[in-house]
Structures are given as structure tokens and as C-alpha cells.
Amino acid sequence: MIVAMRGVAMDERESVAVAHPPEPERAAHPDLQRFKVTALIGLAVGAMPFLWVLWDQWTSNINVLRTAGAGRIYDLQSLAIMHGRLWIPKGRLGIEAFVHDGRQYTYFGILPSLLRIPFLIVDPGLQGQLGAPSMLLAWMVIGFFSTLLMWRIRVMIRGTAPLGRGEATSLGVFLAAITGGSVVVFLGATPWVYHEDLIWSIALTVASLFAVVGVLECPTRQRVVLMGAFVLVASLNRLTTSWACVLGAVLVAAWFAFGRSTVGQRRWALPVLATGAIPLAVSCSINIVKFGVPVGLPMVDQVWTGMNLHRRQFLASNGGKYYGLRFLPSTLQAYLQPVGVRFRSVFPFITLPPQPAAIIGKGVLFDNTYRTASATSTMPLLMILTFIGAIGVFRRRVSNRVRALRIPLLAMCFPPVITLVWGYIDTRYLADFMPILILGGIVGVVQLWGYLERRQPRLRAVAVGAVAALGLFSMVANLGIAVSPNAEFRQDQTAKYVEFQRSVGNLIGHSVSADVVQGKTLPYWAPADELFVVGDCAGFYLSIGENYATIPKQQLQHRTWLTVVETPGSLHRVKITLNEPPAALGAGVPVVTVGTDTIWMQPAGPNQVRFHLSDPKYPESGAPVQVRVGRTFGVSITTDVNLESVNVDSNRRVVLNGVLSTRGAAQSRPQQNAAVSVVDVSGNQPPNMSLCHSLLKGT
């Protein structure tokens, strides 16, 4: 790789003389067909891990509408937009809401909400189920525009130079690494609003980069309009990446205005400037409507800030800001350390570090830190090629076409810089590194093969092998961290994961039994992957390694633990039929009791009910559930005295999550009257604890 970087200078002098065909001749490139085939193979390889984690993820059931956790925020915003507003009825957004002028708004962009509107008009029942399809569409946009961007940059740098098998293979591997060997796979594993926001930010930024590079290569009216459209669409999503796109447009305008491009192109400066100014004005206008300020988020106005003491302490310690240079030592280590993953002898062999990212510096507070993988260790191919590309582009003696690529590279530094000074550390924020890694990596691989073209076949073979090995490792590493359990895993997913771990461990001679710890009570925290058995298999749990000490409710619920096998009597499946409108329920009807705690069903508005936990210390009201008179709906109520928690699920989403401060056996409360029918259909079959007993025995 070092030799390659030194040789790029020589290769660039040679490539300046290569003829660059005008746009109409681009499709006539003799090796375009080979590139198309290679790109399709690379995308197909990348699709396999992404689709598995998106549609299955240990459920043993392909579900194109699979959801996880918070999945209705975009839908709620869609409904608000359909009513001609951006504010959302009070209480619907929960802790994520921002309060401005007495109304509540979400900080997520409006683009995914706009995409949902046609589907919700046709079938309102799709609310909360469109996250996975939306993320798949974003993945397709990433693959499509990464491919177009790759070919555009190759023609810019190397013109009509032949595309050999080695280079074609490397380009295909790189596309597979983008779509199936990067943080994109981690995002797809949990189809919820936080990851949907980020995967769309990657997709829209890559599309904008394609348009920006096209204008830099050869500005035309169509290309400038396309660039403006893509930057505008990007401005309707995530702020950091949209600002990067706007910055790129402004820098391109300056490039033309100051005559850095070819003769006669200065006239494009103002039109290109408009492609950045108009989207920026739209973005600021939306921000003013939502939050009262043109840029940024007033974190003090978020509902969660008022509820969580640690959030208020964090903001107070940092002068009320969510960002600061004091976070750099911690974030640099978390996101860029050479070994930012955990290697194990049991499946999945490569996973996240065993505990949350370390905080460096005396008196430094973060809002949250989670187990975080580094870009260096999970995406080495993209990182190395971006390094090569940056060296090649920023050298002194380069052609004007290559020099122009400095502009988008500089603009794409903005999102990762913001992430590095942000007071929150999480693997998902590696998404902000993706635009520069995609652009820089494409430039790097093209320049690398410009150097290797005239070298010995042995050196080219070594390069192909190195690219393939790094690409394969990236796919294995990202699949490993994606399939590992997280806080949104359901019990059946966790059980299948542990069962698969045991099967693979027995096959290779490394039993997962080494992770098993037995005790009387469940601790609040344990390192990731520890399996804890309460008593003689009275409870069986898996630790995800996250520390919830700053969130008292989630710590009381032992949130770091996932249930492998439900404890006896903890799960109640209930069928409910309303015979009259919800108002007829009065103060509510009891559904399940645990000790002195009771889960009630109460009216929440026209055609809506909610579940409420009456607990002496921690009463909790859940989200509204849509109901129809005369139509039966099902809920699953899980109470666990070891976790000290209760969850109510309806229509594949959690509608109540609470803390149990009392102990006792859970008892269902069937009802049969003129207003409502409540029937417990759980059955009395005890849970199968054979997996727990076998692991205790080491088998």
C-alpha cells in the first residue's frame, strides 16, 4: 500500500495525458459492460448480510415489515404533514419530543415521513411497519449511486484506460464492502427510527456527491438542476450530512467563481451557489418552525431533558451545549482506535467491545456512551483506500480534474468532525463517516489501479488479494456486530441466538458454557455475552453489556439483560374485544396483577385505549393503541420479577414499559361484561428450560 501511494505521483503524470471522453461518449467505454457485471456481483454479495439482518435477525421468519423498538415517529410526522402541520399531538412522541410554543415536534427530518404518505393513505394499518421497507430503499439508493459515482470518478481520473480483471474485481469488492461490510449492516439489523434516519443520510449524501462530482467534471444545466434537487432532498433529512452537502455546493460555486475550473465556466458560479442556498433556506425554515432557531437543536427543550437528571448535569457541565472539544479524546479513541472490536472463540467471533466506550479526561461528562466499534477495525478497506485517495488528491502536481475532487472530500469531513465533538458515543454514528469513506475510497481504489496498471502481474495479484481479504474481513466483522443481541431483541431472538452459539461452540470445541454465571439475584450490570442463571434455572438471561446507571428506570429494570427463556408464569397472551366505545371502560379494567401492582386498560380517546401500570413507586402510562368496537385484538404482557420489569406488546410494538417494585406471582384478570371481553389464551405449559440446564452442565 505504501509503495502504491508513492507510485501514485508517477501514475498521475501519465494519466494527465489520457484522453477524457466528452459526456456523450461515456457509454461507449469499451469496458463498461465488464464494470456493470462486476458492480452487480458486488452489490449482490453485499445484499446477502444486509437482507438477512433486516428481514430475519434470529426470528426464523422472513418479514419484510419487521420492526424493532421506536418505529412510529416518522408515521406520526406523516400524519401531521397530511393535516398541514409539523407538530404532533402531545404525548405521542414520548421522551423524544421537543416542545416549542406549547407544541411538540420531532427532531427527525421530514423526508422519510413524506415517503410514507402514499402508503399510509392506501393502508393506515401500515403505521409503525414501514421502517424496514424504507431502509431497504435507502440501501438500494446507496448501492445505485455508489456505483454511478465509482464509474464517474474512474472516467474523470483514468479516462478510457482499459478496465482489467484485477481492477474490476477490486471495484466489485469495494461495492460489497460499502453495502455489506460497513456500518450499513449494523443499521439494518435494528429497523427503527434512529437507524432509518442515519441510513437515509448516507444514501442522500452519496446521491448528492454523484451530482456534485458531475458538475465539477462538466457543468451543464441538467447537471446543476440535478445537483440542486439532490442537495434539497438531503436537506430534508439529517442536519449534519445535509450541511455537508450544502457546504459542498458552496465550495463548488467558489471553485467556479475564482476561476479554478476550466476557461469559460465562471458563469456557473451563481447557479451552483443557488443549489446550496435554496436547500439551506428550506432547512433553516423547517428548523425555525420546529424549534424556533435556524440551526441546531435546543436540547433543553426536549422532554427527556426535563425527566433525566444526568442529561441536565451533562448540559450544565458543558455550558448548555451538546458539543465540545473536551469530548475529542474519548471519541477519537472510540471511533478510530486500531482494535475497536472484540475477538472471541465463540460465535459470532467478532463483536462489539464488552463494555461501553471509555470516557477520557477529568470531569468530562457524556450524555450517553455505548459499546462502540471503531471505523478502523470494522471498515479497514474503506479506511485504507480513503487514506490513499486523500494523499493522491492533495498532492501538488495533479491534473485539474483530480484537484477538483478536493472540494467534495473537504465537504464530507464535516459530518465526522461533528460526531467527534458530540457528547454521545454509539456505533450507529459511524454512519457519519460513510460519505467520506465512500468518496475517498473510490478515489483511492481508482488511483491505486492507475499505479498498478503498468506494474508486474505479481504485484497486481497481491493487491487484489489484499483488497479481497480486507473486504471479506469487513463483511465478517460488521455481520458479527450486527447479529449480536441488543436492547431491542425479543425473547425468541435471544433464545435462537444462544442456541446457535451453543451449536457452533459444540461443533468447533469452544463451548459457550464458559460464559455462564449462576447466582441468587440478577446484578444490574455484567460484561457483554455473560449468561446468568438465577437459582436452578428459575431465570436465564444474557447481558448486552450496556450500562444504564444514568437512567434510573432502565437500571431498575435490569435493562442490560435480555431474557433467554421466559420464567414460569411471566408471559400472558390476552385477547380483548371491546363491545362498546373505549369511554365505556370508565376508570379502566384490570388485566394482570403482580403482587400489589396492576396493569389496567383505560380509555385514551376515540377508538383508543392505553395500558397503565399502577405501582406504588413507579406508576407508568403507555402509548395509545388503536382499537375498533367489536374487533378482537391481542396483547402480550410480560412480567419478570428478576428483571423487575413489565412490558405490554400490541401489534408488534411495545406500548407499555414499566418497573415492578413489588414481587409476587402474575395473575390474569379475565373480564366478561357488556363493555369488554378479556380472555387469557396463554395456556399453562411451563417454559422449556432444557437449554439452561444443558449449559449449566457444560453440554
Side-chain angles (χ1 to χ4, degrees), residues 39 66 138 154 175 179 214 240 273 276 361 365 449 470 480 486 532 598 686:
R66 188 174 76 87
R154 190 194 186 274
L175 285 173
T179 55
T240 51
L273 182 63
L365 280 182
W449 279 96
L470 289 171
N486 59 56
F532 195 93
T598 302

Side-chain angles (χ1 to χ4, degrees), residues 577-635:
T577 306
L578 287 175
N579 303 317
E580 296 183 20
L585 298 176
V589 296
V591 182
V592 170
T593 59
V594 182
T596 60
D597 287 9
T598 302
I599 296 97
W600 298 78
M601 182 175 66
Q602 299 175 336
N607 299 318
Q608 288 184 333
V609 298
R610 73 170 76 245
F611 291 88
H612 173 80
L613 171 66
S614 62
D615 181 273
K617 292 183 179 179
Y618 311 105
E620 189 79 34
S621 290
V625 178
Q626 291 290 131
V627 296
R628 292 183 185 177
V629 175
R631 184 172 179 177
T632 301
F633 68 99
V635 296

Side-chain angles (χ1 to χ4, degrees), residues 386-408:
T386 298
F387 183 59
I388 294 174
I391 290 179
V393 167
F394 284 95
R395 286 181 301 106
R396 181 178 300 176
R397 297 182 61 184
V398 294
S399 69
N400 208 43
R401 284 174 174 262
V402 174
R403 187 178 292 111
L405 292 173
R406 296 174 180 175
I407 292 174

Side-chain angles (χ1 to χ4, degrees), residues 11 118 122 177 311 316 322 333 355 362 573 586 595 612:
D11 177 71
V122 173
R311 162 69 71 82
Y322 210 92
Q333 175 175 281
Q355 54 193 14
K362 186 177 180 180
R573 293 187 175 92
H612 173 80

Side-chain angles (χ1 to χ4, degrees), residues 59-80:
T59 63
S60 300
N61 177 36
I62 299 299
N63 180 8
V64 298
L65 299 178
R66 188 174 76 87
T67 60
R72 296 184 69 242
I73 291 180
Y74 281 129
D75 303 84
L76 292 171
Q77 190 169 231
S78 297
L79 297 176

Side-chain angles (χ1 to χ4, degrees), residues 171-235:
L171 296 179
V173 170
F174 188 80
L175 285 173
I178 292 172
T179 55
S182 70
V183 70
V184 168
V185 181
F186 177 81
L187 297 177
T190 310
W192 61 346
V193 63
Y194 309 103
H195 288 189
E196 186 180 349
D197 168 60
L198 287 162
I199 196 170
W200 269 113
S201 76
I202 300 171
L204 298 172
T205 307
V206 173
S208 299
L209 283 172
F210 168 73
V212 168
V213 172
V215 170
L216 285 169
E217 180 192 33
C218 179
T220 65
R221 181 180 299 176
Q222 292 80 4
R223 289 189 175 194
V224 171
V225 170
L226 183 67
M227 174 178 164
F230 282 149
V231 175
L232 176 61
V233 173
S235 71

